[in-house]
Amino acid sequence: MTMLAAAGLALPGVAVAAPPAAASPLRAAKPVSLSLKYQCQFPLLGAQPVTVRMSSDIPDTAEPGKPLPPILVDTVSAVGAKSVQGLNVVGAATLEGTASAAVTVTYPQGELKLKIPAVLDKTSLPASGEVEVKARGQAPAIRFTKAGKAQILVNDLLLTLTPRLGDGTLTGLDTFESECAQEPGQDNKLAEITIGGGTGGGTYAYGVTGTTTVKAGNGTAPLTGGLDATTDETGAFTGTLALNPTKADLKLLGFLPVQAGIALAPQRPLAGSLTGGALKLEPVPVTTKVSSFTLFGIPLGGGDTCTTEKPSEVALTADGTFDPAKGGTLKGTYDLAALTGCGVLNGVVSSAFAGPGNTLALQLAPKPATGQ
């Protein structure tokens, strides 16, 4: 059975079009298969079991705005022995016909319900036992227009069957329709496709929240900000991370409560790769500035010139699979160099910051779309 729709169909977020005259081979196509059980209505017999096995090569990633080439899907339908016996009773020697599958394509903006036709191979019927009926279909090119996840779900079937006598003439059953209801409780997902985030390209804007911990000062600071990121068709990932100034509650000498105004400033954009949900980023240099440092409200140092002697190399990694359409969590550790330019008590201020074992955790959430 074919898996997608007729030419010219277009909805927000997805478009289905006739394949180009010379479609390129499937990019990153991977074998997929699915077996589903149905109860199909046959004349005189009522509901009878039919098992349909589907197989294809479907890419698990797609690039927004660029169509996938046509997809071939092979099916094998196992018709039960009782159904074969009923066809033998009317003298049938062969079985042929068509199938129409109800298919749902889900995508980031909604879902698309399709009726997909296929032609069944003419199949000789055995004297007894079950028979397997094969079919092959080809889907036209499909194009997704926005990043996210898409799924191809196979639902109920409608068979139009023509049993024939040995001389090719029709049996007393003529041509009949058989409605096939999918048995409940089955996983009907044939394939899942990640749109963007690997072989695709896209632009993403995230709101950032999180925390940083300062080991030397035994304290933490909340973080907020934003990340504007892009991916291209090679999987390259780049992004500009901006973090807002914040306040850190620390301990001086291990027990004196101090509050520090700090700002983490990345010195260049994030760079790395995003392939198959795996986000790998190069270390990024980050300068830490301390605008204020107070003990019981009394200023001890800080200011415009109070900063680390050299940037920290922060190696951020995604916590699990990273979906650019949904965001995710970035985590990293970093060393803090000694501070300079913090005033007369520079050494005291620096002692609350300098050292290894500091952590960073950033949660990325897509910003709401504008102009919609």
Side-chain angles (χ1 to χ4, degrees):
M1 67 188 70
T2 57
M3 297 311 303
L4 296 167
L9 180 61
L11 293 174
V14 64
V16 182
S24 59
L26 281 176
R27 179 181 62 251
K30 294 187 177 181
V32 297
S33 61
L34 179 65
S35 181
L36 292 172
K37 295 180 179 180
Y38 293 87
Q39 290 292 321
C40 299
Q41 298 293 328
F42 282 85
L44 306 177
L45 299 176
Q48 296 298 310
V50 173
T51 299
V52 180
R53 302 192 305 273
M54 290 158 263
S55 61
S56 183
D57 291 318
I58 299 176
D60 58 4
T61 59
E63 181 177 352
K66 292 191 176 181
L68 297 176
I71 298 171
L72 292 175
V73 179
D74 293 308
T75 68
V76 179
S77 300
V79 181
K82 189 173 181 181
S83 299
V84 172
Q85 182 182 19
L87 293 171
N88 285 335
V89 167
V90 296
T94 63
L95 183 67
E96 59 193 77
T98 62
S100 176
V103 172
T104 301
V105 179
T106 66
Y107 55 96
Q109 291 74 44
E111 64 179 26
L112 181 63
K113 294 186 180 297
L114 307 171
K115 296 292 185 180
I116 309 304
V119 177
L120 307 180
D121 289 356
K122 185 175 182 179
T123 303
S124 297
L125 296 173
S128 62
E130 71 174 25
V131 64
E132 292 188 337
V133 180
K134 297 180 179 179
R136 165 170 277 201
Q138 176 175 291
I142 184 169
R143 182 178 72 254
F144 298 103
T145 61
K146 292 190 177 181
K149 293 282 187 182
Q151 292 185 339
I152 299 174
L153 309 176
V154 183
N155 304 309
D156 291 345
L157 305 176
L158 177 64
L159 304 177
T160 303
L161 302 176
T162 302
R164 295 185 182 275
L165 302 173
D167 61 5
T169 58
L170 296 174
T171 68
L173 294 178
D174 204 339
T175 295
F176 63 90
E177 288 189 346
S178 174
E179 295 183 353
C180 297
Q182 194 174 111
E183 294 184 4
Q186 301 181 84
D187 182 1
N188 65 338
K189 180 176 68 177
L190 177 65
E192 182 172 274
I193 302 170
T194 299
I195 309 163
T199 60
T203 301
Y204 310 91
Y206 305 101
V208 176
T209 58
T211 58
T212 185
T213 63
V214 180
K215 185 176 181 181
N218 190 27
T220 63
L223 296 173
T224 59
L227 172 64
D228 293 326
T230 61
T231 63
D232 67 19
E233 62 184 19
T234 69
F237 181 98
T238 58
T240 301
L241 174 64
L243 297 173
N244 299 320
T246 186
K247 298 284 187 179
D249 292 316
L250 307 175
K251 294 291 190 298
L252 183 62
L253 304 177
F255 68 97
L256 294 173
V258 295
Q259 188 175 70
I262 64 173
L264 305 181
Q267 299 302 291
R268 62 169 175 78
L270 302 181
S273 64
L274 178 59
T275 305
L279 178 61
K280 299 179 180 179
L281 295 172
E282 300 171 5
V284 60
V286 177
T287 296
T288 299
K289 296 184 178 181
V290 180
S291 60
S292 62
F293 191 86
T294 60
L295 172 64
F296 300 120
I298 302 172
L300 299 183
D304 293 340
T305 62
C306 185
T307 185
T308 46
E309 290 181 343
K310 63 179 182 179
S312 305
E313 292 292 323
V314 181
L316 291 170
T317 59
D319 186 14
T321 300
F322 186 83
D323 182 343
K326 297 179 180 179
T329 299
L330 303 180
K331 293 183 176 181
T333 59
Y334 61 100
D335 296 347
L336 277 169
L339 298 177
T340 184
C342 302
V344 175
L345 298 178
N346 186 92
V348 174
V349 177
S350 182
S351 68
F353 289 91
N358 310 290
T359 66
L360 191 66
L362 304 175
Q363 287 79 47
L364 311 183
K367 292 181 179 179
T370 58
Q372 296 182 357

